[in-house]
Amino acid sequence: MRTYRVAYPLTWRAMDVLEAFVAFVWPPSFRAAVPYLFLLPALILVGLLVLGLIQIADTSMRVLDRDTFLLSDAYSLDNYRRALTEPFFATIAGRSIIGSLIVTVITLVFAFPYAYLMVRTSSSALRKFLLVALFLPFFIGQVVRAYGWLIILGNQGIVNDILGHAGIPTLRLLYNYPAVLFGLVQYMLPFAVLMLAPALTAIPEELEAAAGSLGASWLKTFRHVVLPLARPGLVGAGLVVMTLSLTDFAIPAMLGGGSQDFIANAIYDQFFRTSDQGLGATLSLLLVAVGSLLVGVVFTAFGAGTLAMGGRRK
Amino acid sequence: MSGSRSKSVVIWAFVLAAIAMLSAPTIVVLGASFTAGNMIEFPPQGFSLKWYSAILSATDLRDAFFRSVYVAALNTIIAIPIGTLAGIALAKYKVRLENTIQVYLLLPFTIPLIGSGIGLMLVFGNAGALGQLWPVAIACCVINLPFMIWAVTASASNLSNDLELAAANCGAPPVQTFLYITLPAVLPGVITGSLLMFILGLNEFLVSLLLVDARSVTLPVQIYNSIRSIITPDLAAISVVFIVCAGVAVTLLDRLVGLDIFLKSK
């Protein structure tokens, strides 16, 4: 008996206690509920967002009293009327929407060849280089990247220094609409390429070879074979880029210098400058509605792409 | 890639432009951090490490950096158990209402960041928790949680039902089966997910901006606040910290799972 006790290691005994404890708090008859138990913490955590949306909805229906700077207790739709009728917000919404459309088109034009080369190249070193060039900025974060652009494009920036040496007077390259759009394009490139790449991988290279051997030029092959087959990826990437740039804050704030605000900047100003939380909440809710609608369309039409969770096996 | 010369020229033209756009800010920040001048100029005025020693003695930048590390670490520690369990549940079990649950768990991606940030700001504000760091960590965890769950489910192809049955058949009770069979199978995904959570938490800007006050700014917010006044090379030096972290993350990611995983079609 004594030798048996020695041979039975401590870890085993600890495991036995653990098993007994688990069997006690979660009897085997509850086994069917195990996956729900596993999901519960994640559901609760994401529930914070739902709670947040409810708070936003509640705040959005309270009007700011200009005398006391408190929100009203009574509900009203006045904030929505203001958000939808005041020309100031229409200007900002128009700038954001037109901007995100332009950004989407330009981003796709650059992302498509990038993804194509990355998927089709036979050199694994080149593929790795392209992937690293893509992931590095993605992981560096928006603020540092925007800071880099400030150094390059600022009035005392690199470009103007070079132009100065060539005798060209200082150009105002920052704090205008094109600067914001440019910043957004380079911010969105990694997202677009990563959404496009799986779609391009799915197109067999033989199809292009076949088109070529039947006499189609590469442009024709591109137009009539590759582009149509890549359409799901293009639409998916396009919608993601559009939503992200429509709702972006940092790039318009840093490269627009306050004169090129997008919707997110207007929301921030309502909360932290004007202190009209009600109107800010209203704008947030409207933006969430538009943004979620766009992404919802992507997910229902094309699936979540590489981000699909579960789904494949079982 | 096959095809004519003109095709290569056109494609390479676009790709080179894209590479320039992607890497120009990084290279410039790196270069500016080593300048010997007091301003950022081109061509740079010689090489020096003085801005690195300057940031070592700048307590506000250093404090902000440690706050960011704290937020990133806490957000990863919260995300690991929550995301792993959810990922295993989605990958391994038949769950009722699975599609609904998936759509729900993807909410952090479908709700625009400014909306999530404002919502969480109101929630934590009503709870009187603003001004501390843990709400920032929880907020970062919520908005990036889908990455963690995705990483775990993506590695769940290693998860074989037969192995677990075999373990049970050999007499392993449920907890042992879970600890010795299920968890090791998804471990690569857990590591990838933690890496993503950490680096994204370290970089998180907008949600931090909304949730912090003057005493609890994280590094991206600190950089953002300083940029608006004047551009000095010390910001470039501190930004290099982010570049180094990103470099380490990309290297680790490539070693652990291979970056090629992102090219696979479904």
mmCIF file of all heavy atoms in Angstrom, chain A residues 15 19 36 43 47 55 116 120 128 139-140 147 150 161 186 198 201 218 302 306 309 314, chain B residues 1 4 6-7 21 42 96 98 102 104 126 149-150 173 176 203 227 232 236 254 263 265:
data_model
loop_
_atom_site.group_PDB
_atom_site.id
_atom_site.type_symbol
_atom_site.label_atom_id
_atom_site.label_comp_id
_atom_site.label_asym_id
_atom_site.label_seq_id
_atom_site.Cartn_x
_atom_site.Cartn_y
_atom_site.Cartn_z
ATOM 1 N N MET A 15 -4.989 16.003 -10.405
ATOM 2 C CA MET A 15 -5.943 15.837 -11.500
ATOM 3 C C MET A 15 -7.216 15.159 -11.012
ATOM 4 O O MET A 15 -8.319 15.520 -11.421
ATOM 5 C CB MET A 15 -5.314 15.001 -12.633
ATOM 6 C CG MET A 15 -4.359 15.745 -13.530
ATOM 7 S SD MET A 15 -5.039 17.240 -14.255
ATOM 8 C CE MET A 15 -6.271 16.545 -15.323
ATOM 9 N N GLU A 19 -10.824 16.587 -11.420
ATOM 10 C CA GLU A 19 -11.899 15.867 -12.104
ATOM 11 C C GLU A 19 -13.129 15.762 -11.223
ATOM 12 O O GLU A 19 -14.259 15.980 -11.674
ATOM 13 C CB GLU A 19 -11.441 14.447 -12.478
ATOM 14 C CG GLU A 19 -10.326 14.381 -13.511
ATOM 15 C CD GLU A 19 -10.794 14.644 -14.921
ATOM 16 O OE1 GLU A 19 -12.014 14.833 -15.124
ATOM 17 O OE2 GLU A 19 -9.944 14.687 -15.819
ATOM 18 N N TYR A 36 -22.073 25.736 -24.842
ATOM 19 C CA TYR A 36 -22.676 27.020 -24.468
ATOM 20 C C TYR A 36 -21.925 27.636 -23.293
ATOM 21 O O TYR A 36 -21.740 28.852 -23.241
ATOM 22 C CB TYR A 36 -24.155 26.832 -24.146
ATOM 23 C CG TYR A 36 -24.892 26.246 -25.316
ATOM 24 C CD1 TYR A 36 -25.157 24.889 -25.404
ATOM 25 C CD2 TYR A 36 -25.249 27.059 -26.395
ATOM 26 C CE1 TYR A 36 -25.787 24.356 -26.505
ATOM 27 C CE2 TYR A 36 -25.876 26.536 -27.500
ATOM 28 C CZ TYR A 36 -26.144 25.175 -27.553
ATOM 29 O OH TYR A 36 -26.742 24.660 -28.664
ATOM 30 N N LEU A 43 -19.749 35.703 -25.220
ATOM 31 C CA LEU A 43 -21.043 36.351 -25.444
ATOM 32 C C LEU A 43 -21.218 37.525 -24.485
ATOM 33 O O LEU A 43 -21.717 38.583 -24.865
ATOM 34 C CB LEU A 43 -22.182 35.341 -25.246
ATOM 35 C CG LEU A 43 -22.212 34.169 -26.233
ATOM 36 C CD1 LEU A 43 -23.381 33.239 -25.934
ATOM 37 C CD2 LEU A 43 -22.299 34.676 -27.663
ATOM 38 N N GLY A 47 -21.321 41.389 -25.298
ATOM 39 C CA GLY A 47 -22.523 42.034 -24.777
ATOM 40 C C GLY A 47 -22.277 43.469 -24.340
ATOM 41 O O GLY A 47 -23.188 44.298 -24.385
ATOM 42 N N GLN A 55 -26.970 52.258 -24.765
ATOM 43 C CA GLN A 55 -26.668 53.551 -24.132
ATOM 44 C C GLN A 55 -26.666 54.671 -25.165
ATOM 45 O O GLN A 55 -27.177 55.758 -24.923
ATOM 46 C CB GLN A 55 -25.288 53.496 -23.471
ATOM 47 C CG GLN A 55 -25.219 52.571 -22.292
ATOM 48 C CD GLN A 55 -25.336 53.342 -21.002
ATOM 49 O OE1 GLN A 55 -25.641 54.522 -21.018
ATOM 50 N NE2 GLN A 55 -25.119 52.662 -19.890
ATOM 51 N N TYR A 116 -2.382 40.000 -56.915
ATOM 52 C CA TYR A 116 -2.180 39.095 -58.056
ATOM 53 C C TYR A 116 -0.732 38.615 -58.098
ATOM 54 O O TYR A 116 -0.454 37.415 -58.185
ATOM 55 C CB TYR A 116 -2.556 39.831 -59.350
ATOM 56 C CG TYR A 116 -2.456 38.986 -60.590
ATOM 57 C CD1 TYR A 116 -3.491 38.132 -60.949
ATOM 58 C CD2 TYR A 116 -1.332 39.038 -61.402
ATOM 59 C CE1 TYR A 116 -3.409 37.348 -62.076
ATOM 60 C CE2 TYR A 116 -1.232 38.264 -62.532
ATOM 61 C CZ TYR A 116 -2.267 37.423 -62.871
ATOM 62 O OH TYR A 116 -2.177 36.636 -63.986
ATOM 63 N N ARG A 120 0.505 34.822 -57.584
ATOM 64 C CA ARG A 120 0.956 34.116 -58.776
ATOM 65 C C ARG A 120 2.461 33.927 -58.865
ATOM 66 O O ARG A 120 2.930 33.080 -59.617
ATOM 67 C CB ARG A 120 0.494 34.881 -60.025
ATOM 68 C CG ARG A 120 -0.984 34.726 -60.330
ATOM 69 C CD ARG A 120 -1.275 33.373 -60.940
ATOM 70 N NE ARG A 120 -2.638 33.314 -61.445
ATOM 71 C CZ ARG A 120 -3.635 32.717 -60.819
ATOM 72 N NH1 ARG A 120 -3.427 32.124 -59.655
ATOM 73 N NH2 ARG A 120 -4.841 32.696 -61.334
ATOM 74 N N LYS A 128 7.118 36.299 -49.777
ATOM 75 C CA LYS A 128 7.330 36.634 -48.372
ATOM 76 C C LYS A 128 7.600 38.117 -48.203
ATOM 77 O O LYS A 128 7.058 38.764 -47.298
ATOM 78 C CB LYS A 128 8.501 35.810 -47.813
ATOM 79 C CG LYS A 128 8.739 36.051 -46.359
ATOM 80 C CD LYS A 128 9.111 34.796 -45.637
ATOM 81 C CE LYS A 128 7.937 33.849 -45.464
ATOM 82 N NZ LYS A 128 8.310 32.606 -44.848
ATOM 83 N N PHE A 139 0.758 46.442 -38.561
ATOM 84 C CA PHE A 139 1.043 46.283 -37.141
ATOM 85 C C PHE A 139 1.649 47.538 -36.520
ATOM 86 O O PHE A 139 1.830 47.593 -35.310
ATOM 87 C CB PHE A 139 2.011 45.113 -36.922
ATOM 88 C CG PHE A 139 1.345 43.777 -37.017
ATOM 89 C CD1 PHE A 139 2.086 42.614 -37.194
ATOM 90 C CD2 PHE A 139 -0.031 43.658 -36.923
ATOM 91 C CE1 PHE A 139 1.471 41.379 -37.283
ATOM 92 C CE2 PHE A 139 -0.648 42.422 -37.009
ATOM 93 C CZ PHE A 139 0.112 41.281 -37.189
ATOM 94 N N ILE A 140 2.039 48.501 -37.339
ATOM 95 C CA ILE A 140 2.697 49.682 -36.778
ATOM 96 C C ILE A 140 1.671 50.662 -36.220
ATOM 97 O O ILE A 140 1.950 51.423 -35.298
ATOM 98 C CB ILE A 140 3.615 50.334 -37.830
ATOM 99 C CG1 ILE A 140 4.874 49.488 -37.976
ATOM 100 C CG2 ILE A 140 4.000 51.742 -37.437
ATOM 101 C CD1 ILE A 140 5.784 49.934 -39.055
ATOM 102 N N TYR A 147 2.153 59.995 -38.714
ATOM 103 C CA TYR A 147 3.293 60.825 -38.321
ATOM 104 C C TYR A 147 4.361 60.797 -39.411
ATOM 105 O O TYR A 147 4.937 61.835 -39.770
ATOM 106 C CB TYR A 147 3.837 60.317 -36.990
ATOM 107 C CG TYR A 147 5.074 61.006 -36.506
ATOM 108 C CD1 TYR A 147 5.089 62.374 -36.295
ATOM 109 C CD2 TYR A 147 6.244 60.294 -36.268
ATOM 110 C CE1 TYR A 147 6.231 63.011 -35.852
ATOM 111 C CE2 TYR A 147 7.389 60.913 -35.825
ATOM 112 C CZ TYR A 147 7.377 62.274 -35.624
ATOM 113 O OH TYR A 147 8.510 62.897 -35.201
ATOM 114 N N LEU A 150 3.374 63.059 -42.077
ATOM 115 C CA LEU A 150 3.576 64.458 -41.704
ATOM 116 C C LEU A 150 5.018 64.871 -41.976
ATOM 117 O O LEU A 150 5.290 65.974 -42.463
ATOM 118 C CB LEU A 150 3.254 64.675 -40.224
ATOM 119 C CG LEU A 150 1.799 64.525 -39.786
ATOM 120 C CD1 LEU A 150 1.658 64.795 -38.308
ATOM 121 C CD2 LEU A 150 0.906 65.461 -40.577
ATOM 122 N N ASP A 161 11.456 70.095 -48.844
ATOM 123 C CA ASP A 161 12.902 70.349 -48.798
ATOM 124 C C ASP A 161 13.529 70.095 -50.161
ATOM 125 O O ASP A 161 14.327 70.887 -50.655
ATOM 126 C CB ASP A 161 13.551 69.430 -47.747
ATOM 127 C CG ASP A 161 13.552 70.079 -46.369
ATOM 128 O OD1 ASP A 161 13.211 71.277 -46.300
ATOM 129 O OD2 ASP A 161 13.871 69.387 -45.388
ATOM 130 N N GLN A 186 -3.365 54.425 -48.363
ATOM 131 C CA GLN A 186 -2.249 53.595 -47.917
ATOM 132 C C GLN A 186 -2.593 52.861 -46.624
ATOM 133 O O GLN A 186 -2.093 51.783 -46.372
ATOM 134 C CB GLN A 186 -0.971 54.403 -47.827
ATOM 135 C CG GLN A 186 -0.866 55.344 -46.660
ATOM 136 C CD GLN A 186 -0.093 54.725 -45.532
ATOM 137 O OE1 GLN A 186 0.791 53.927 -45.765
ATOM 138 N NE2 GLN A 186 -0.467 55.066 -44.311
ATOM 139 N N PRO A 198 -7.189 35.608 -51.095
ATOM 140 C CA PRO A 198 -7.825 34.288 -51.146
ATOM 141 C C PRO A 198 -8.702 34.112 -52.389
ATOM 142 O O PRO A 198 -8.744 33.026 -52.974
ATOM 143 C CB PRO A 198 -8.681 34.253 -49.878
ATOM 144 C CG PRO A 198 -8.073 35.248 -48.974
ATOM 145 C CD PRO A 198 -7.538 36.325 -49.856
ATOM 146 N N THR A 201 -6.362 33.344 -55.201
ATOM 147 C CA THR A 201 -5.816 31.993 -55.066
ATOM 148 C C THR A 201 -6.786 30.969 -55.634
ATOM 149 O O THR A 201 -6.377 29.942 -56.194
ATOM 150 C CB THR A 201 -5.562 31.666 -53.582
ATOM 151 O OG1 THR A 201 -4.842 32.740 -52.997
ATOM 152 C CG2 THR A 201 -4.759 30.393 -53.431
ATOM 153 N N TRP A 218 -3.016 39.422 -72.773
ATOM 154 C CA TRP A 218 -3.144 39.362 -71.305
ATOM 155 C C TRP A 218 -4.194 40.323 -70.801
ATOM 156 O O TRP A 218 -4.875 40.040 -69.816
ATOM 157 C CB TRP A 218 -1.799 39.572 -70.625
ATOM 158 C CG TRP A 218 -1.242 40.974 -70.686
ATOM 159 C CD1 TRP A 218 -0.400 41.461 -71.634
ATOM 160 C CD2 TRP A 218 -1.481 42.033 -69.767
ATOM 161 N NE1 TRP A 218 -0.102 42.759 -71.375
ATOM 162 C CE2 TRP A 218 -0.741 43.157 -70.234
ATOM 163 C CE3 TRP A 218 -2.240 42.163 -68.599
ATOM 164 C CZ2 TRP A 218 -0.762 44.380 -69.569
ATOM 165 C CZ3 TRP A 218 -2.243 43.388 -67.949
ATOM 166 C CH2 TRP A 218 -1.510 44.481 -68.424
ATOM 167 N N PHE A 302 -21.015 37.229 -49.105
ATOM 168 C CA PHE A 302 -19.768 36.536 -49.449
ATOM 169 C C PHE A 302 -19.215 35.717 -48.306
ATOM 170 O O PHE A 302 -18.146 35.135 -48.423
ATOM 171 C CB PHE A 302 -18.704 37.545 -49.875
ATOM 172 C CG PHE A 302 -19.192 38.498 -50.903
ATOM 173 C CD1 PHE A 302 -19.549 39.775 -50.552
ATOM 174 C CD2 PHE A 302 -19.328 38.094 -52.222
ATOM 175 C CE1 PHE A 302 -20.026 40.652 -51.489
ATOM 176 C CE2 PHE A 302 -19.803 38.964 -53.154
ATOM 177 C CZ PHE A 302 -20.156 40.250 -52.803
ATOM 178 N N THR A 306 -11.697 35.201 -44.985
ATOM 179 C CA THR A 306 -10.716 34.535 -44.129
ATOM 180 C C THR A 306 -11.098 34.629 -42.663
ATOM 181 O O THR A 306 -10.555 33.931 -41.833
ATOM 182 C CB THR A 306 -9.332 35.171 -44.298
ATOM 183 O OG1 THR A 306 -9.522 36.541 -44.626
ATOM 184 C CG2 THR A 306 -8.547 34.464 -45.366
ATOM 185 N N MET A 309 -15.540 32.161 -38.808
ATOM 186 C CA MET A 309 -15.187 31.405 -37.623
ATOM 187 C C MET A 309 -15.974 30.100 -37.617
ATOM 188 O O MET A 309 -17.176 30.108 -37.727
ATOM 189 C CB MET A 309 -15.514 32.220 -36.367
ATOM 190 C CG MET A 309 -14.786 33.546 -36.340
ATOM 191 S SD MET A 309 -15.044 34.457 -34.806
ATOM 192 C CE MET A 309 -16.738 34.945 -34.952
ATOM 193 N N LYS A 314 -16.470 19.673 -39.051
ATOM 194 C CA LYS A 314 -17.419 19.169 -38.076
ATOM 195 C C LYS A 314 -17.909 17.829 -38.549
ATOM 196 O O LYS A 314 -18.064 17.641 -39.751
ATOM 197 C CB LYS A 314 -18.642 20.080 -37.899
ATOM 198 C CG LYS A 314 -18.957 20.297 -36.425
ATOM 199 C CD LYS A 314 -19.888 21.456 -36.227
ATOM 200 C CE LYS A 314 -19.180 22.752 -36.494
ATOM 201 N NZ LYS A 314 -20.033 23.901 -36.373
ATOM 202 N N MET B 1 3.778 33.585 -62.076
ATOM 203 C CA MET B 1 3.097 34.472 -63.014
ATOM 204 C C MET B 1 3.639 34.227 -64.401
ATOM 205 O O MET B 1 4.821 34.086 -64.594
ATOM 206 C CB MET B 1 3.336 35.926 -62.595
ATOM 207 C CG MET B 1 2.397 36.872 -63.262
ATOM 208 S SD MET B 1 2.554 38.520 -62.567
ATOM 209 C CE MET B 1 4.207 38.964 -63.072
ATOM 210 N N SER B 4 3.141 38.112 -70.949
ATOM 211 C CA SER B 4 4.042 38.914 -71.764
ATOM 212 C C SER B 4 4.809 39.897 -70.907
ATOM 213 O O SER B 4 4.553 40.070 -69.716
ATOM 214 C CB SER B 4 3.233 39.678 -72.800
ATOM 215 O OG SER B 4 2.370 40.549 -72.111
ATOM 216 N N SER B 6 4.821 43.182 -71.318
ATOM 217 C CA SER B 6 4.033 44.375 -70.970
ATOM 218 C C SER B 6 3.212 44.121 -69.706
ATOM 219 O O SER B 6 3.037 45.006 -68.870
ATOM 220 C CB SER B 6 3.124 44.767 -72.130
ATOM 221 O OG SER B 6 2.256 43.704 -72.441
ATOM 222 N N LYS B 7 2.746 42.878 -69.560
ATOM 223 C CA LYS B 7 1.966 42.562 -68.360
ATOM 224 C C LYS B 7 2.820 42.718 -67.115
ATOM 225 O O LYS B 7 2.403 43.361 -66.145
ATOM 226 C CB LYS B 7 1.459 41.117 -68.475
ATOM 227 C CG LYS B 7 0.671 40.641 -67.286
ATOM 228 C CD LYS B 7 0.280 39.182 -67.480
ATOM 229 C CE LYS B 7 -0.414 38.635 -66.262
ATOM 230 N NZ LYS B 7 -0.701 37.205 -66.393
ATOM 231 N N MET B 21 4.303 53.334 -51.101
ATOM 232 C CA MET B 21 3.288 53.924 -50.232
ATOM 233 C C MET B 21 3.277 53.250 -48.865
ATOM 234 O O MET B 21 3.152 53.903 -47.838
ATOM 235 C CB MET B 21 1.905 53.729 -50.860
ATOM 236 C CG MET B 21 1.385 54.921 -51.598
ATOM 237 S SD MET B 21 -0.360 54.712 -51.909
ATOM 238 C CE MET B 21 -0.365 53.641 -53.329
ATOM 239 N N PHE B 42 15.616 67.305 -44.433
ATOM 240 C CA PHE B 42 16.157 66.443 -45.470
ATOM 241 C C PHE B 42 17.100 67.253 -46.337
ATOM 242 O O PHE B 42 16.755 68.346 -46.758
ATOM 243 C CB PHE B 42 15.023 65.852 -46.316
ATOM 244 C CG PHE B 42 15.497 64.778 -47.230
ATOM 245 C CD1 PHE B 42 15.627 63.474 -46.783
ATOM 246 C CD2 PHE B 42 15.850 65.081 -48.538
ATOM 247 C CE1 PHE B 42 16.081 62.481 -47.635
ATOM 248 C CE2 PHE B 42 16.307 64.079 -49.380
ATOM 249 C CZ PHE B 42 16.426 62.786 -48.929
ATOM 250 N N ARG B 96 -26.435 25.086 -31.440
ATOM 251 C CA ARG B 96 -27.689 25.579 -31.994
ATOM 252 C C ARG B 96 -27.570 27.075 -32.265
ATOM 253 O O ARG B 96 -26.815 27.772 -31.577
ATOM 254 C CB ARG B 96 -28.828 25.319 -31.000
ATOM 255 C CG ARG B 96 -29.996 24.614 -31.697
ATOM 256 C CD ARG B 96 -31.114 24.404 -30.727
ATOM 257 N NE ARG B 96 -30.899 23.186 -29.940
ATOM 258 C CZ ARG B 96 -31.745 22.806 -28.998
ATOM 259 N NH1 ARG B 96 -32.797 23.518 -28.718
ATOM 260 N NH2 ARG B 96 -31.529 21.697 -28.326
ATOM 261 N N GLU B 98 -25.967 28.485 -34.515
ATOM 262 C CA GLU B 98 -24.555 28.802 -34.734
ATOM 263 C C GLU B 98 -24.362 30.062 -35.573
ATOM 264 O O GLU B 98 -23.509 30.893 -35.285
ATOM 265 C CB GLU B 98 -23.856 27.623 -35.408
ATOM 266 C CG GLU B 98 -22.399 27.931 -35.660
ATOM 267 C CD GLU B 98 -21.533 26.685 -35.680
ATOM 268 O OE1 GLU B 98 -22.028 25.614 -35.311
ATOM 269 O OE2 GLU B 98 -20.368 26.812 -36.060
ATOM 270 N N GLN B 102 -22.409 33.394 -34.537
ATOM 271 C CA GLN B 102 -21.266 33.920 -35.293
ATOM 272 C C GLN B 102 -21.455 35.378 -35.653
ATOM 273 O O GLN B 102 -20.538 36.184 -35.524
ATOM 274 C CB GLN B 102 -21.075 33.111 -36.576
ATOM 275 C CG GLN B 102 -20.395 31.801 -36.334
ATOM 276 C CD GLN B 102 -19.663 31.330 -37.575
ATOM 277 O OE1 GLN B 102 -19.283 32.128 -38.417
ATOM 278 N NE2 GLN B 102 -19.491 30.029 -37.692
ATOM 279 N N TYR B 104 -23.246 37.482 -34.124
ATOM 280 C CA TYR B 104 -23.137 38.240 -32.878
ATOM 281 C C TYR B 104 -21.681 38.431 -32.484
ATOM 282 O O TYR B 104 -21.260 39.534 -32.138
ATOM 283 C CB TYR B 104 -23.906 37.487 -31.787
ATOM 284 C CG TYR B 104 -23.812 38.079 -30.393
ATOM 285 C CD1 TYR B 104 -24.649 39.119 -30.020
ATOM 286 C CD2 TYR B 104 -22.898 37.595 -29.478
ATOM 287 C CE1 TYR B 104 -24.559 39.662 -28.749
ATOM 288 C CE2 TYR B 104 -22.805 38.130 -28.201
ATOM 289 C CZ TYR B 104 -23.644 39.166 -27.839
ATOM 290 O OH TYR B 104 -23.556 39.699 -26.592
ATOM 291 N N ASN B 126 -20.760 55.505 -17.098
ATOM 292 C CA ASN B 126 -21.868 55.337 -16.155
ATOM 293 C C ASN B 126 -21.453 54.492 -14.968
ATOM 294 O O ASN B 126 -21.996 54.637 -13.876
ATOM 295 C CB ASN B 126 -23.078 54.695 -16.846
ATOM 296 C CG ASN B 126 -23.785 55.697 -17.726
ATOM 297 O OD1 ASN B 126 -23.481 56.887 -17.685
ATOM 298 N ND2 ASN B 126 -24.726 55.226 -18.528
ATOM 299 N N ILE B 149 -10.694 34.559 -31.764
ATOM 300 C CA ILE B 149 -11.569 33.421 -32.046
ATOM 301 C C ILE B 149 -11.232 32.839 -33.415
ATOM 302 O O ILE B 149 -11.148 31.624 -33.598
ATOM 303 C CB ILE B 149 -13.047 33.854 -31.987
ATOM 304 C CG1 ILE B 149 -13.353 34.416 -30.597
ATOM 305 C CG2 ILE B 149 -13.957 32.689 -32.300
ATOM 306 C CD1 ILE B 149 -14.780 34.896 -30.440
ATOM 307 N N TRP B 150 -10.985 33.751 -34.387
ATOM 308 C CA TRP B 150 -10.649 33.293 -35.727
ATOM 309 C C TRP B 150 -9.368 32.453 -35.711
ATOM 310 O O TRP B 150 -9.294 31.394 -36.321
ATOM 311 C CB TRP B 150 -10.488 34.485 -36.676
ATOM 312 C CG TRP B 150 -9.744 34.120 -37.897
ATOM 313 C CD1 TRP B 150 -10.233 33.448 -38.978
ATOM 314 C CD2 TRP B 150 -8.357 34.340 -38.156
ATOM 315 N NE1 TRP B 150 -9.231 33.249 -39.896
ATOM 316 C CE2 TRP B 150 -8.075 33.795 -39.413
ATOM 317 C CE3 TRP B 150 -7.326 34.967 -37.438
ATOM 318 C CZ2 TRP B 150 -6.802 33.840 -39.973
ATOM 319 C CZ3 TRP B 150 -6.064 35.016 -37.998
ATOM 320 C CH2 TRP B 150 -5.824 34.466 -39.246
ATOM 321 N N PRO B 173 -10.534 10.988 -18.067
ATOM 322 C CA PRO B 173 -11.770 11.712 -17.788
ATOM 323 C C PRO B 173 -11.815 13.019 -18.590
ATOM 324 O O PRO B 173 -10.792 13.423 -19.152
ATOM 325 C CB PRO B 173 -11.702 11.994 -16.283
ATOM 326 C CG PRO B 173 -10.465 11.351 -15.776
ATOM 327 C CD PRO B 173 -9.629 10.962 -16.921
ATOM 328 N N GLN B 176 -9.029 15.839 -18.183
ATOM 329 C CA GLN B 176 -7.727 15.410 -18.704
ATOM 330 C C GLN B 176 -7.729 15.417 -20.221
ATOM 331 O O GLN B 176 -6.769 15.863 -20.851
ATOM 332 C CB GLN B 176 -7.403 14.003 -18.209
ATOM 333 C CG GLN B 176 -6.711 13.997 -16.869
ATOM 334 C CD GLN B 176 -6.114 12.641 -16.557
ATOM 335 O OE1 GLN B 176 -5.606 11.961 -17.441
ATOM 336 N NE2 GLN B 176 -6.200 12.258 -15.307
ATOM 337 N N ASN B 203 -1.193 49.064 -30.191
ATOM 338 C CA ASN B 203 -1.365 50.132 -31.172
ATOM 339 C C ASN B 203 -2.691 50.853 -31.059
ATOM 340 O O ASN B 203 -2.896 51.845 -31.740
ATOM 341 C CB ASN B 203 -1.309 49.552 -32.588
ATOM 342 C CG ASN B 203 0.088 49.213 -32.987
ATOM 343 O OD1 ASN B 203 1.014 49.893 -32.596
ATOM 344 N ND2 ASN B 203 0.249 48.156 -33.750
ATOM 345 N N ILE B 227 1.874 65.493 -31.502
ATOM 346 C CA ILE B 227 2.048 65.845 -32.903
ATOM 347 C C ILE B 227 1.365 67.155 -33.217
ATOM 348 O O ILE B 227 1.866 67.966 -33.961
ATOM 349 C CB ILE B 227 1.481 64.725 -33.805
ATOM 350 C CG1 ILE B 227 2.501 63.614 -33.964
ATOM 351 C CG2 ILE B 227 1.145 65.286 -35.182
ATOM 352 C CD1 ILE B 227 1.990 62.460 -34.741
ATOM 353 N N THR B 232 8.833 67.059 -33.560
ATOM 354 C CA THR B 232 10.233 66.992 -33.142
ATOM 355 C C THR B 232 10.712 65.547 -33.266
ATOM 356 O O THR B 232 9.906 64.621 -33.240
ATOM 357 C CB THR B 232 10.392 67.461 -31.682
ATOM 358 O OG1 THR B 232 9.392 66.809 -30.900
ATOM 359 C CG2 THR B 232 10.231 68.955 -31.575
ATOM 360 N N ALA B 236 9.756 60.667 -33.270
ATOM 361 C CA ALA B 236 10.215 59.642 -34.212
ATOM 362 C C ALA B 236 10.896 58.520 -33.456
ATOM 363 O O ALA B 236 10.676 57.335 -33.735
ATOM 364 C CB ALA B 236 11.167 60.255 -35.233
ATOM 365 N N ASP B 254 5.334 34.815 -38.729
ATOM 366 C CA ASP B 254 5.828 34.032 -39.855
ATOM 367 C C ASP B 254 6.418 32.713 -39.381
ATOM 368 O O ASP B 254 6.174 31.654 -39.964
ATOM 369 C CB ASP B 254 6.872 34.853 -40.613
ATOM 370 C CG ASP B 254 7.232 34.190 -41.924
ATOM 371 O OD1 ASP B 254 6.312 33.608 -42.531
ATOM 372 O OD2 ASP B 254 8.397 34.239 -42.326
ATOM 373 N N LEU B 263 -3.079 33.721 -47.523
ATOM 374 C CA LEU B 263 -3.339 33.666 -48.969
ATOM 375 C C LEU B 263 -4.293 32.551 -49.328
ATOM 376 O O LEU B 263 -4.788 32.479 -50.441
ATOM 377 C CB LEU B 263 -2.017 33.453 -49.729
ATOM 378 C CG LEU B 263 -0.973 34.539 -49.523
ATOM 379 C CD1 LEU B 263 0.254 34.237 -50.346
ATOM 380 C CD2 LEU B 263 -1.543 35.890 -49.899
ATOM 381 N N SER B 265 -7.343 30.168 -49.976
ATOM 382 C CA SER B 265 -8.765 30.384 -50.185
ATOM 383 C C SER B 265 -9.514 29.441 -49.263
ATOM 384 O O SER B 265 -8.981 28.473 -48.755
ATOM 385 C CB SER B 265 -9.138 30.117 -51.628
ATOM 386 O OG SER B 265 -8.869 28.778 -51.935
#
